[in-house]
Amino acid sequence: MTTRWLTPEEQRAWRAYLGATLLLEDALDRQLQQEAGMPHMYYSILANLSEAPERRLRMTDLAELLKITRSRLTYAVGRLEKDGLVRREECPQDKRGSVAALTEEGFATVERLAPGHVETVRATLFDQLTPRQVGQLEEIFTGVAQALQGEDAGGASGDVPWRRRSPPCS
Amino acid sequence: MTTRWLTPEEQRAWRAYLGATLLLEDALDRQLQQEAGMPHMYYSILANLSEAPERRLRMTDLAELLKITRSRLTYAVGRLEKDGLVRREECPQDKRGSVAALTEEGFATVERLAPGHVETVRATLFDQLTPRQVGQLEEIFTGVAQALQGEDAGGASGDVPWRRRSPPCS
């Protein structure tokens, strides 16, 4: 099959997206590392739990929300548990402890970190965009995520990270 | 100062972008890991060198192209050097070996991997976009990168990753 190389327009878009995304990740990680000694992904775990009913989520659902593998999540939650921010609990349906619950200290940490984190997201991304571009951003990446998750029949394989290890409680 | 929380539109855009980006990174890494046992960043190092004059770049310039820290690049280039794909050379201006050069084997590796990589980029991203959205993607992230690199006077700090360690040859 002949390779469908990128057009010059696609190459420019790809490089702009890749470069800006690496810089954004770096800025978000640095702000949270300086503020709380944790990378952006750890903050995302706490933030997702803080918004969930009773501040707890099954590990499988949390991995899907975060778009990461179960093993990556298990490692991160282990670290957060050591710091007293998250507690592993047994799942009502079985005994393998696959629910993550935010502790009081974890909730206080999210409350303390949220303003600085949001300010960084705003300064690095949204302050650079017009309202129209915010809509374009949502539309572009909603479509990309759907294809990657196999929700679109014509899309990619649907081999999503969070299904790669058999979830013990689902 | 009052926190400028994200609007509902901004929240939707942020979540779509974050989720899709994690899925894209995962897909790119997996394809290259399966094909060549290397993550996307390592492939990017080889690809950038393959396009440079004489297939060599100063480490400082390579870090800037890749938007990563010098220490992250040094580690990655060390691994690629062990595999015979890259060679460290002395810089004409001093003796500290801070030029990375692509070996013949490295060039052959890029040539072998490029079609599969580009196909993945196309299937996961560009096949989901209209030509108009390709233009929007470029415009959005060119602006974001410029602000993060401090090229815009009103932008962020310009504390860019590749300047965080003093470059030995510049």
Side-chain angles (χ1 to χ4, degrees):
Chain A
M1 208 174 90
T2 315
T3 302
R4 300 181 300 152
W5 298 107
L6 301 187
T7 65
E9 292 75 25
E10 289 169 337
Q11 274 189 39
R12 289 201 309 271
W14 177 238
R15 282 171 196 195
Y17 164 68
L18 260 194
T21 293
L22 280 160
L23 288 168
L24 262 173
E25 281 174 2
D26 177 76
L28 294 173
D29 274 337
R30 263 171 76 83
Q31 189 267 329
L32 285 163
Q33 286 285 6
Q34 282 168 0
E35 198 84 20
M38 65 173 73
H40 180 218
M41 179 56 70
Y42 287 33
Y43 173 81
S44 297
I45 292 171
L46 302 180
N48 273 285
L49 289 174
S50 76
E51 292 165 6
E54 299 176 45
R55 298 179 195 161
R56 42 176 51 72
L57 282 166
R58 291 195 312 177
M59 291 289 278
T60 316
D61 297 334
L62 189 50
E64 180 167 355
L65 278 169
L66 296 164
K67 316 291 181 202
I68 60 175
T69 59
R70 280 288 312 257
S71 63
R72 189 170 166 196
L73 178 64
T74 301
Y75 180 81
V77 165
R79 292 284 305 272
L80 292 168
E81 197 172 20
K82 264 187 202 149
D83 291 340
L85 306 179
V86 169
R87 196 174 46 240
R88 294 290 293 269
E89 293 178 351
E90 284 181 7
C91 181
Q93 281 84 44
D94 71 21
K95 304 282 164 196
R96 277 169 291 180
S98 54
V99 166
L102 197 62
T103 63
E104 279 305 316
E105 197 185 333
F107 188 71
T109 300
V110 176
E111 284 200 311
R112 179 171 66 81
L113 297 178
H117 170 64
V118 169
E119 187 52 43
T120 307
V121 172
R122 190 168 274 298
T124 53
L125 182 61
F126 290 107
D127 282 353
Q128 318 306 325
L129 305 184
T130 64
R132 209 163 145 194
Q133 286 180 315
V134 174
Q136 293 167 356
L137 189 70
E138 181 188 355
E139 203 173 12
I140 286 171
F141 288 102
T142 300
V144 170
Q146 279 173 352
L148 276 159
Q149 290 173 120
E151 290 169 17
D152 170 2
S157 71
D159 169 26
V160 288
W162 57 93
R163 280 194 218 116
R164 237 166 256 152
R165 280 170 54 134
S166 57
C169 182
S170 64
Chain B
M1 208 175 91
T2 315
T3 302
R4 300 181 299 151
W5 300 106
L6 300 188
T7 65
E9 292 75 26
E10 288 169 338
Q11 275 191 37
R12 289 201 308 271
W14 177 237
R15 282 171 196 197
Y17 164 69
L18 260 194
T21 293
L22 279 160
L23 288 169
L24 261 173
E25 281 174 3
D26 176 77
L28 294 173
D29 274 336
R30 265 172 74 83
Q31 188 268 329
L32 285 164
Q33 287 285 6
Q34 282 168 0
E35 198 84 19
M38 66 171 75
H40 180 217
M41 179 56 70
Y42 286 33
Y43 173 80
S44 296
I45 292 171
L46 302 180
N48 273 285
L49 289 173
S50 77
E51 291 166 7
E54 298 175 46
R55 297 179 196 161
R56 44 178 46 76
L57 283 166
R58 290 194 311 175
M59 290 289 277
T60 316
D61 297 335
L62 190 50
E64 179 166 356
L65 280 169
L66 296 164
K67 316 291 181 203
I68 61 174
T69 59
R70 280 290 310 259
S71 62
R72 187 170 169 197
L73 178 64
T74 301
Y75 180 82
V77 165
R79 293 283 305 272
L80 291 168
E81 197 173 20
K82 265 189 200 147
D83 290 340
L85 306 179
V86 169
R87 195 173 48 240
R88 293 290 293 268
E89 292 178 352
E90 285 182 5
C91 179
Q93 280 83 44
D94 71 20
K95 304 281 163 195
R96 278 170 289 182
S98 55
V99 165
L102 196 63
T103 64
E104 279 304 315
E105 198 185 333
F107 188 71
T109 301
V110 176
E111 284 199 311
R112 178 171 67 80
L113 297 178
H117 171 64
V118 169
E119 187 54 42
T120 307
V121 172
R122 190 169 276 295
T124 54
L125 182 62
F126 290 107
D127 282 354
Q128 319 305 325
L129 305 183
T130 63
R132 208 163 143 194
Q133 286 180 314
V134 174
Q136 293 168 356
L137 189 71
E138 181 189 353
E139 202 172 13
I140 287 172
F141 288 102
T142 300
V144 171
Q146 279 173 352
L148 277 160
Q149 290 173 120
E151 291 169 17
D152 171 2
S157 71
D159 169 26
V160 288
W162 57 93
R163 277 192 219 117
R164 237 166 257 153
R165 279 170 54 132
S166 57
C169 182
S170 65

